[in-house]
Amino acid sequence: MTSREKHDRMANAIRFLSMDAVEKANSGHPGLPMGAADIATVLYTRFMKHDPKAPHWADRDRFVLSAGHGSMLLYSLLYLTGYEDITLDEIKNFRQLGSRTAGHPEYGHAAGIETTTGPLGQGLANSVGMALAERIMNAKFGDDLVDHYTYVLSGDGCLMEGISQEAIALAGHLKLNKLIVMWDDNNISIDGAVSLSDSTDQLARFAASGWNASRVDGHDPEAIADALEAARRSDRPTLIACKTTIGFGAPHKAGTNKAHGSPLGAEEIAGARKALGWDYPPFEVPSDILDAWRLSGLNAAKKRKEWETRLAAAESEIRAEFERRMRGELPGNFDTVIADYKKKLAADKPKVATRKSSEMALEVINGAVPETIGGSADLTGSNNTKTSQTNPIAPGQYDGRYVYYGIREHGMAAAMNGMALHGGVIPYSGTFLTFSDYARPAMRLASLMGIRVIFVMTHDSIGLGEDGPTHQPVEHLAALRAIPNHNVYRPADATESAECWQLALEDTKTPSTIALTRQNLPAVRTEFVEENLCGYGAYELATADGDAAVTIFASGSEVEIALAARTALQAHGHPTRVVSVPVFELFEKQSEKYQAAIIGNAPVKIAIEAAIRLGWDRFIGQDGIFIGMHGFGASGTIEQLYPHFGITADATVKAAEARLHKKSN
Amino acid sequence: MTSREKHDRMANAIRFLSMDAVEKANSGHPGLPMGAADIATVLYTRFMKHDPKAPHWADRDRFVLSAGHGSMLLYSLLYLTGYEDITLDEIKNFRQLGSRTAGHPEYGHAAGIETTTGPLGQGLANSVGMALAERIMNAKFGDDLVDHYTYVLSGDGCLMEGISQEAIALAGHLKLNKLIVMWDDNNISIDGAVSLSDSTDQLARFAASGWNASRVDGHDPEAIADALEAARRSDRPTLIACKTTIGFGAPHKAGTNKAHGSPLGAEEIAGARKALGWDYPPFEVPSDILDAWRLSGLNAAKKRKEWETRLAAAESEIRAEFERRMRGELPGNFDTVIADYKKKLAADKPKVATRKSSEMALEVINGAVPETIGGSADLTGSNNTKTSQTNPIAPGQYDGRYVYYGIREHGMAAAMNGMALHGGVIPYSGTFLTFSDYARPAMRLASLMGIRVIFVMTHDSIGLGEDGPTHQPVEHLAALRAIPNHNVYRPADATESAECWQLALEDTKTPSTIALTRQNLPAVRTEFVEENLCGYGAYELATADGDAAVTIFASGSEVEIALAARTALQAHGHPTRVVSVPVFELFEKQSEKYQAAIIGNAPVKIAIEAAIRLGWDRFIGQDGIFIGMHGFGASGTIEQLYPHFGITADATVKAAEARLHKKSN
């Protein structure tokens, strides 16, 4: 067998596992794995630095299947190279409930799946974050410990999605030369030929963003290998356009959209077996080919052992720090640092915007936690995300801790996902809350994957004033709270800001959004409490003088209004308690008893939030009074807007008293 | 005064109105209007075909200020050229509550504001839809009635946002040669120099997408004019990179990010007055310059009158059709067509997926309403948005009615907004519901503007099966219902599908999302009712046999489950009614009496929706039983998933009976 014959048979193993699994599942996408099998075979047998026996090895190369619908390509590679998590049975259970081989690659289902993909463009943008994290960690720990590539397989769809432009522009700007994207250039999309909807010269487009870009025959292993060699030597990120035939080997469907997203059918698969000379029953890989694949899985075992030797030989402090970071653990003194800072706040009682108190908290945190990497989508001075410790990261200069992401919310969020997935860094970055909409697909994936990414979202209500309804979030808090496994924090003052940051950093399995004001707010927490009260999700901030007639629930900037309303109501003889609700999601995790006590039995329940009511019925019931927004905001000063929309202590008092009056009649 | 001097003084009028208005408001963005004043002056005095006295003239050129933060540029132009809506008082009330001169341009606040901008990239993407609608209308009504340009002023931010790539790729592909984008290339973003975050060669990037691209000095009126002349003759869309100085004229802040987003301050403005030789008090435009501007506003009055003559001379049927379309009115027989179709459905009782019954409804609608323009983000066969009448629109061929938008949900949604804003067409297009996240910023703007755009969102739950949690929406219904002025329809069968389409088409001031299943559903409406029951938002689909012990509320695919549970519960002696809830938003518009009657007094209230609970407390209360999703979905067959997540008639019956038992104890 010539080496070309061996390559072909190894690639065909991917093709038939994919065809067979899709056929058995009666669902899935055979076209991509068949078309990209040659690319993947060259990459995994000749280049990938990975060790199936130690799949979490920190210095492994990352492979991202951005075209996630081609999941059988990845599952085939993991099975063939010997990842324990992906057995032949898993392949046979493709797309069945409870299998590790889900319809799209799901992070956490199996080692070797570096990120969840499927929503197009996300993997490509994740990879920018991974490649950036690699450089950041390299700048800190050196070539001995951190020196690996990020490889991506991208489809046409990934390149059509707008997020791809944000990703490639950022990667090109930052000269992330260890990022290598292989584009499965097969001219086919679901609707038919790509030419139905696109005429882009992708090579010219990538070149315009500072990338190397080359073109190869995606079925010529030597050409692919040469292009990868060149890419690895490049001082810029590289796009390799690999011209392929979708569904390669299928006698009638190859090269057409019929191979894309449905089982080929028994007849077509039989034809492919004949055409490719593959005389084996479904799911059988002949032992010589499986052996060859498994052998390739050992390629980097020696490198891994050498790396472990180097790590063991490193200074103990460096080693400990590297390992701590990769485990995702915070420094041991973190709690003390926060407690000391809260003591200071209780003494100072600063009256500042929460975007400012977030910055103050970050100043403390960034001093104590060296792995935080800040940033902003071109709103640094508005998001207050940059602190004294965070020098900029710039092209070729990766020893900083701050990323100027540009006006690229979506790419930023997805890059942060990639950084968190890579490990060793904790990404946080900002934009305006209203523009969380731009980043939402990536924020959802952070939640689905369960990773620690912190989205700083300032200008969190009509309180931002004159910029008007395009910039004023009203539905965004509810819409973000709707995402499963996503903690939405809305602190009311500097102490709550510190507590919310603490919680966001400590939760390694849940991404966080921290919603912050533009306007100044008084301190509502005026005494030092070591315990993190925000950790309860909702807690009693002010008790009623007597049996509560009224309970007011509020978050963020409206807690101040709740407290003022309480003072007035109590002066009128209506005992009133105030519950601060900084984070709905953590309240749901408390005991039923705690929840019932917090909600309480006051005859009148009111919620105040400068946003829509959706979600607040959980606290106040259908019958409760909601003081907030009922539609879009408006352009005007903050002094005009709060009264205009009836979000005032006066309005709260009036509504409460009208209800008390009604109830007493 | 030379013509250059005159130009300079006219441009300076924009500069000082902008500086003065921002200064008085103590808020706003002077830098862009000052930097782009020369570009705008050339465009409006020499090229724009518009008539301030007839601002809604159908054949006017459209101008889109994509960099919406520079709103004072647009307001200045509208005031100076003589638009009645924008008086000097409005300029003086810039950014104040109730003024027409909001912080960002708000569609509907004043004639001449063609779209709401501010969220970056949206205007650019709207303009693609406007330019496409122009070509579509031209193909139908000819050069005599439709022949105008779409001009855009874009900033760096617009070009960094990913949506810009989707927009320019689509425009380049479709060869929308009457689209001309002027890029205010000032090298400055909020954080500082653009070089902090970007190194893109924008000309090369646009050229890669099939655009002409040229570069001019943005302060040289003749160069700008020459470039515009060339652009107007082009067979492709054109980018003109206009190198400008942000805050042009400000002695110390020009060319820096200090001119971008805050008032310049009295001293700097005084310096600018000196530097530009502008010896007038704030808000005063010398009469010769105002006269010159007003005169330019009359440039196209003759063309407008000639156009009106041509329209008057057109065949009466053509004229009536043109005017009907531009008014946004549906054909007179539309209701009859729908009623006839509903009669047929009541007889046929088709058991099909709602994506299929949506297609059936569209087949009827597209036959009766010739102005609908369909499309899909590369999911035509899955979204079922193409009918027999809708031939494809292709490069240079605009007589079709179907757009292959490519894998560009965001650009698609924004282009649809632009089409609706242009008028004469009704855009609808599809993707999967989970990918509404990608389109969300544009969907929000459709709601804010109050325009008729119809988003077809199929694969609306775990019912899509094996594609898994990335593709299974769980929070999207709630998140879309959260957007003000956005109707989210979720029909339960073919009749409801028809009714929802009717409502979506008839509501000219509210965009719609129609959520549709992949899986087949039985007919739940089996008798013909002429009235559109979905128009109530929620209605009693099945009464209880006796005093209701249980009310089950459900939407879409879960209505079937509700009916099965009702049958079982009634067999067990528990009278049960079922309320179908196809659209929350319209239910809220019903009388309190109607709402109370629909919610009713059954001791047990249950809601079933294969999505999260958020929003359903409105129907069932805090105490109600919710049968639905509590987190992300999973990859598996539909037969596995519904039982796995406990969304079955059995589970509903069990939960109801447990509650009834508890209540009776």
Side-chain angles (χ1 to χ4, degrees):
Chain A
M1 194 159 52
T2 67
S3 75
R4 176 60 195 256
E5 282 165 356
K6 184 173 156 199
H7 164 90
D8 289 347
R9 283 166 58 79
M10 289 176 81
N12 287 340
I14 296 174
R15 294 191 173 100
F16 285 98
L17 284 173
S18 300
M19 275 183 261
D20 293 340
V22 170
E23 196 68 14
K24 180 160 189 288
N26 195 27
S27 168
H29 300 76
L32 184 138
M34 294 168 74
D38 292 309
I39 305 166
T41 300
V42 171
L43 177 68
Y44 266 73
T45 60
R46 305 204 212 173
F47 293 94
M48 270 294 281
K49 183 173 79 172
H50 70 133
D51 186 342
K53 304 300 170 213
H56 301 290
W57 174 23
D59 199 33
R60 70 191 180 279
D61 290 340
R62 268 58 167 183
F63 173 67
V64 173
L65 180 66
S66 191
H69 51 277
S71 54
M72 270 309 304
L73 179 73
L74 180 56
Y75 302 147
S76 299
L77 289 165
L78 298 180
Y79 163 65
L80 291 168
T81 55
Y83 282 73
E84 206 170 71
D85 283 351
I86 303 290
T87 61
L88 193 58
D89 278 345
E90 289 288 348
I91 302 274
K92 290 178 182 170
N93 276 320
F94 180 51
R95 289 188 157 231
Q96 303 311 298
L97 187 62
S99 75
R100 286 176 166 159
T101 48
H104 293 84
E106 300 286 341
Y107 176 71
H109 279 214
I113 300 175
E114 301 283 4
T115 179
T116 294
T117 50
L120 294 174
Q122 297 292 333
L124 175 58
N126 295 158
S127 74
V128 174
M130 291 177 184
L132 178 57
E134 192 269 349
R135 286 292 86 193
I136 292 169
M137 289 292 280
N138 174 274
K140 172 80 185 169
F141 295 101
D143 289 346
D144 270 3
L145 296 187
V146 185
D147 184 17
H148 55 267
Y149 289 90
T150 303
Y151 297 103
V152 182
L153 188 77
S154 168
D156 290 291
C158 294
L159 301 192
M160 282 200 224
E161 291 286 2
I163 189 175
S164 67
Q165 183 63 26
E166 302 183 18
I168 71 173
L170 186 61
H173 173 69
L174 290 175
K175 298 195 188 301
L176 299 175
N177 66 319
K178 301 183 79 178
L179 174 61
I180 299 171
V181 175
M182 292 155 290
W183 167 33
D184 178 35
D185 178 15
N186 63 24
N187 296 98
I188 294 296
S189 73
I190 292 176
D191 279 355
V194 167
S195 59
L196 278 178
S197 58
D198 194 52
S199 320
T200 307
D201 178 342
Q202 296 289 4
L203 268 67
R205 176 189 168 207
F206 275 73
S209 285
W211 286 53
N212 285 310
S214 62
R215 186 182 294 287
V216 299
D217 174 351
H219 300 300
D220 177 345
E222 297 315 314
I224 297 165
D226 289 350
L228 280 168
E229 285 289 4
R232 286 157 56 98
R233 289 189 305 265
S234 164
D235 60 348
R236 289 175 290 164
T238 297
L239 173 78
I240 306 172
C242 305
K243 182 60 75 184
T244 61
T245 301
I246 191 171
F248 182 93
H252 304 103
K253 296 186 176 177
T256 76
N257 60 345
K258 287 181 187 139
H260 170 80
S262 17
L264 294 178
E267 200 177 327
E268 187 77 0
I269 294 179
R273 284 195 147 74
K274 194 168 289 180
L276 298 176
W278 192 260
D279 291 331
Y280 314 102
F283 299 106
E284 187 176 312
V285 177
S287 61
D288 63 322
I289 296 301
L290 185 59
D291 287 349
W293 267 112
R294 290 283 154 93
L295 208 60
S296 81
L298 304 176
N299 282 348
K302 183 159 167 275
K303 280 188 186 166
R304 198 252 303 170
K305 279 172 199 145
E306 288 164 0
W307 179 87
E308 281 176 356
T309 307
R310 290 197 298 276
L311 179 65
E315 272 182 49
S316 67
E317 265 183 44
I318 289 174
R319 178 184 172 159
E321 178 68 1
F322 181 82
E323 291 182 331
R324 179 189 69 76
R325 285 199 188 191
M326 290 306 298
R327 278 196 310 271
E329 282 174 16
L330 296 172
N333 66 339
F334 182 65
D335 286 349
T336 315
V337 167
I338 297 291
D340 289 349
Y341 173 58
K342 279 170 63 182
K343 259 178 223 160
K344 183 173 161 3
L345 289 176
D348 294 354
K349 301 178 183 46
K351 180 177 174 157
V352 293
T354 47
R355 64 173 169 154
K356 179 67 189 172
S357 58
S358 164
E359 180 190 343
M360 290 157 55
L362 272 172
E363 185 70 34
V364 172
I365 290 162
N366 287 343
V369 185
E371 63 268 34
T372 53
I373 304 293
S376 170
D378 196 42
L379 289 168
T380 296
S382 298
N383 299 145
N384 297 49
T385 39
K386 196 165 185 313
T387 66
S388 66
Q389 306 89 348
T390 58
N391 291 325
I393 287 165
Q397 262 196 296
Y398 310 104
D399 56 353
R401 289 175 58 189
Y402 195 82
V403 183
Y404 289 108
Y405 285 101
I407 300 140
R408 305 184 181 108
E409 300 82 6
H410 199 179
M412 172 177 84
M416 287 202 286
N417 289 355
M419 291 163 79
L421 289 162
H422 179 279
V425 295
I426 303 175
Y428 72 86
S429 194
T431 184
F432 289 163
L433 179 57
T434 192
F435 300 136
S436 62
D437 278 351
Y438 278 76
R440 194 169 166 91
M443 295 171 80
R444 182 181 205 252
L445 282 168
S447 298
L448 179 57
M449 290 191 273
I451 54 178
R452 178 173 51 188
V453 179
I454 303 174
F455 304 99
V456 180
M457 297 285 174
T458 69
H459 294 58
D460 74 348
S461 77
I462 53 165
L464 65 85
E466 294 89 341
D467 274 346
T470 51
H471 285 52
Q472 291 162 357
V474 295
E475 75 277 25
H476 300 75
L477 291 169
L480 290 169
R481 287 171 185 149
I483 302 176
N485 192 39
H486 195 99
N487 289 343
V488 180
Y489 295 94
R490 191 165 187 250
D493 73 355
T495 299
E496 284 200 358
S497 292
E499 290 185 348
C500 291
W501 267 106
Q502 183 179 23
L503 292 163
L505 284 161
E506 286 176 350
D507 193 335
T508 58
K509 299 287 183 200
T510 306
S512 300
T513 289
I514 307 184
L516 301 165
T517 69
R518 178 181 187 231
Q519 72 267 32
N520 286 342
L521 299 176
V524 298
R525 288 272 295 280
T526 51
E527 280 169 42
F528 173 68
V529 183
E530 179 149 9
E531 192 178 16
N532 189 320
L533 297 181
C534 290
Y536 291 98
Y539 65 94
E540 192 171 79
L541 179 67
T543 55
D545 294 343
D547 279 353
V550 179
T551 296
I552 309 179
F553 303 86
S555 83
S557 42
E558 285 69 66
V559 172
E560 172 186 12
I561 295 172
L563 290 171
R566 171 179 172 273
T567 302
L569 283 165
Q570 296 213 132
H572 300 188
H574 310 302
T576 299
R577 58 197 276 274
V578 170
V579 173
S580 180
V581 190
V583 46
F584 281 36
E585 294 77 10
L586 296 187
F587 181 67
E588 296 301 337
K589 295 191 174 167
Q590 306 309 311
S591 68
E592 276 187 39
K593 192 176 153 194
Y594 180 84
Q595 291 181 13
I598 286 297
I599 288 175
N601 299 311
V604 174
K605 296 200 184 83
I606 305 178
I608 318 180
E609 186 166 71
I612 60 168
R613 177 173 183 140
L614 191 66
W616 282 100
D617 283 8
R618 170 73 179 86
F619 292 90
I620 59 174
Q622 285 168 299
D623 190 40
I625 296 169
F626 182 69
I627 303 285
M629 298 294 292
H630 303 279
F632 290 109
S635 176
T637 65
I638 182 172
E639 293 77 15
Q640 292 171 324
L641 292 174
Y642 269 84
H644 176 73
F645 289 110
I647 308 173
T648 62
D650 270 2
T652 308
V653 169
K654 268 185 202 145
E657 292 187 333
R659 186 63 64 87
L660 285 165
H661 182 71
K662 194 171 150 196
K663 294 222 176 210
S664 68
N665 281 355
Chain B
M1 193 158 53
T2 66
S3 77
R4 175 61 195 255
E5 282 164 357
K6 185 174 155 198
H7 165 90
D8 288 347
R9 282 167 60 78
M10 290 177 80
N12 286 339
I14 296 173
R15 293 189 174 101
F16 284 97
L17 284 173
S18 301
M19 274 183 262
D20 293 341
V22 170
E23 195 67 15
K24 181 160 187 288
N26 196 26
S27 169
H29 300 75
L32 184 139
M34 295 168 73
D38 292 309
I39 305 166
T41 300
V42 171
L43 178 68
Y44 267 74
T45 60
R46 305 203 213 173
F47 293 94
M48 271 293 281
K49 184 173 80 170
H50 70 133
D51 186 342
K53 304 301 170 212
H56 300 291
W57 173 24
D59 199 34
R60 70 190 180 280
D61 290 340
R62 268 58 168 183
F63 173 67
V64 173
L65 180 67
S66 190
H69 52 277
S71 55
M72 269 309 304
L73 179 75
L74 180 57
Y75 302 148
S76 299
L77 289 166
L78 298 180
Y79 162 65
L80 291 168
T81 56
Y83 282 72
E84 208 169 69
D85 282 350
I86 302 290
T87 61
L88 193 59
D89 278 344
E90 289 288 350
I91 302 274
K92 290 178 182 169
N93 276 321
F94 179 54
R95 290 187 157 231
Q96 303 310 298
L97 187 61
S99 76
R100 287 176 165 157
T101 48
H104 293 82
E106 300 287 341
Y107 175 72
H109 279 214
I113 301 174
E114 301 283 4
T115 180
T116 294
T117 50
L120 294 174
Q122 297 290 335
L124 176 58
N126 294 159
S127 74
V128 175
M130 292 178 184
L132 178 57
E134 192 269 348
R135 287 292 85 192
I136 292 170
M137 289 292 280
N138 173 276
K140 172 79 184 169
F141 295 101
D143 289 347
D144 271 4
L145 296 187
V146 186
D147 184 15
H148 54 266
Y149 289 90
T150 303
Y151 297 104
V152 182
L153 189 76
S154 168
D156 290 291
C158 294
L159 301 192
M160 281 200 225
E161 292 286 2
I163 189 176
S164 67
Q165 183 63 25
E166 302 183 18
I168 71 173
L170 186 61
H173 173 69
L174 290 174
K175 298 197 188 298
L176 299 176
N177 65 319
K178 301 184 79 179
L179 174 61
I180 299 171
V181 176
M182 292 156 290
W183 167 33
D184 179 35
D185 177 16
N186 64 25
N187 296 97
I188 294 296
S189 73
I190 292 176
D191 278 355
V194 167
S195 59
L196 278 178
S197 58
D198 194 52
S199 319
T200 307
D201 178 343
Q202 296 289 4
L203 268 66
R205 175 188 168 208
F206 275 73
S209 285
W211 287 53
N212 285 311
S214 61
R215 186 182 293 288
V216 299
D217 174 352
H219 299 301
D220 177 345
E222 298 316 314
I224 296 165
D226 289 349
L228 281 168
E229 285 290 5
R232 286 157 56 99
R233 289 189 305 266
S234 164
D235 61 348
R236 289 175 289 164
T238 297
L239 173 78
I240 306 172
C242 306
K243 182 58 76 184
T244 61
T245 301
I246 191 171
F248 183 93
H252 304 102
K253 296 185 176 176
T256 77
N257 60 345
K258 287 181 186 139
H260 170 81
S262 17
L264 294 178
E267 200 178 325
E268 187 77 0
I269 294 178
R273 284 194 147 75
K274 193 168 287 178
L276 297 176
W278 191 263
D279 290 332
Y280 314 101
F283 297 107
E284 188 177 309
V285 178
S287 60
D288 64 321
I289 295 302
L290 186 58
D291 286 351
W293 268 112
R294 290 284 154 92
L295 208 61
S296 80
L298 304 176
N299 282 349
K302 183 158 166 278
K303 280 189 186 163
R304 198 253 302 171
K305 278 172 199 145
E306 289 165 359
W307 179 87
E308 281 177 354
T309 307
R310 290 197 299 275
L311 180 64
E315 272 183 50
S316 66
E317 266 184 42
I318 289 174
R319 178 185 170 158
E321 179 67 1
F322 181 81
E323 290 180 333
R324 180 188 69 75
R325 285 199 187 190
M326 291 306 298
R327 279 196 308 272
E329 282 174 17
L330 296 172
N333 66 339
F334 181 65
D335 286 350
T336 315
V337 167
I338 297 291
D340 289 349
Y341 173 58
K342 280 169 61 182
K343 258 178 224 159
K344 183 172 165 351
L345 289 176
D348 294 354
K349 301 180 183 46
K351 180 175 173 156
V352 293
T354 49
R355 63 171 171 155
K356 179 66 187 171
S357 58
S358 164
E359 180 189 344
M360 290 157 54
L362 272 172
E363 185 69 34
V364 172
I365 289 163
N366 287 341
V369 185
E371 64 267 35
T372 52
I373 304 293
S376 170
D378 196 44
L379 289 168
T380 296
S382 297
N383 299 145
N384 298 49
T385 39
K386 197 164 183 316
T387 67
S388 66
Q389 306 89 349
T390 58
N391 291 325
I393 288 166
Q397 262 196 296
Y398 308 104
D399 56 353
R401 289 174 57 188
Y402 195 83
V403 183
Y404 288 107
Y405 285 101
I407 301 139
R408 304 184 180 108
E409 300 81 8
H410 200 181
M412 173 177 83
M416 287 202 286
N417 288 355
M419 292 164 79
L421 288 163
H422 179 279
V425 295
I426 303 175
Y428 73 87
S429 195
T431 184
F432 288 163
L433 179 57
T434 192
F435 301 138
S436 62
D437 278 351
Y438 278 75
R440 194 170 166 90
M443 295 172 79
R444 181 179 205 252
L445 282 168
S447 298
L448 179 58
M449 291 191 273
I451 54 178
R452 178 173 49 189
V453 179
I454 303 173
F455 304 98
V456 180
M457 297 285 174
T458 69
H459 295 58
D460 73 349
S461 78
I462 53 165
L464 65 84
E466 294 90 339
D467 274 347
T470 51
H471 285 51
Q472 291 163 356
V474 294
E475 75 277 25
H476 300 76
L477 291 168
L480 290 170
R481 287 169 183 150
I483 302 177
N485 192 40
H486 196 99
N487 289 343
V488 180
Y489 296 95
R490 190 165 189 251
D493 73 355
T495 298
E496 284 200 357
S497 292
E499 290 185 347
C500 290
W501 267 106
Q502 182 179 23
L503 292 163
L505 284 162
E506 286 177 350
D507 193 334
T508 58
K509 301 286 183 201
T510 307
S512 300
T513 290
I514 307 185
L516 301 165
T517 68
R518 178 180 186 231
Q519 73 268 33
N520 286 343
L521 300 176
V524 298
R525 287 271 294 280
T526 51
E527 280 168 42
F528 173 67
V529 183
E530 180 149 8
E531 191 179 16
N532 189 319
L533 297 182
C534 289
Y536 291 98
Y539 66 94
E540 192 171 80
L541 178 67
T543 56
D545 294 343
D547 280 351
V550 179
T551 296
I552 309 179
F553 302 86
S555 83
S557 42
E558 286 69 65
V559 172
E560 172 187 12
I561 295 172
L563 290 171
R566 170 179 171 272
T567 303
L569 282 165
Q570 296 212 133
H572 299 188
H574 310 301
T576 299
R577 57 197 278 273
V578 170
V579 173
S580 180
V581 191
V583 45
F584 281 37
E585 295 78 9
L586 297 186
F587 181 67
E588 295 301 336
K589 294 191 174 167
Q590 307 307 313
S591 68
E592 276 187 41
K593 192 177 153 193
Y594 180 85
Q595 290 182 13
I598 286 297
I599 288 176
N601 299 310
V604 174
K605 296 201 183 83
I606 304 178
I608 318 180
E609 186 167 70
I612 60 167
R613 177 174 183 138
L614 192 65
W616 282 100
D617 283 7
R618 171 73 179 87
F619 291 91
I620 59 174
Q622 284 169 299
D623 191 40
I625 296 169
F626 182 70
I627 303 286
M629 298 295 291
H630 303 280
F632 290 109
S635 177
T637 64
I638 182 171
E639 293 77 16
Q640 293 171 323
L641 292 174
Y642 268 85
H644 176 73
F645 290 110
I647 308 175
T648 62
D650 271 1
T652 308
V653 169
K654 267 186 202 146
E657 291 187 334
R659 186 64 63 88
L660 286 165
H661 182 71
K662 194 171 150 197
K663 294 222 177 211
S664 69
N665 281 355

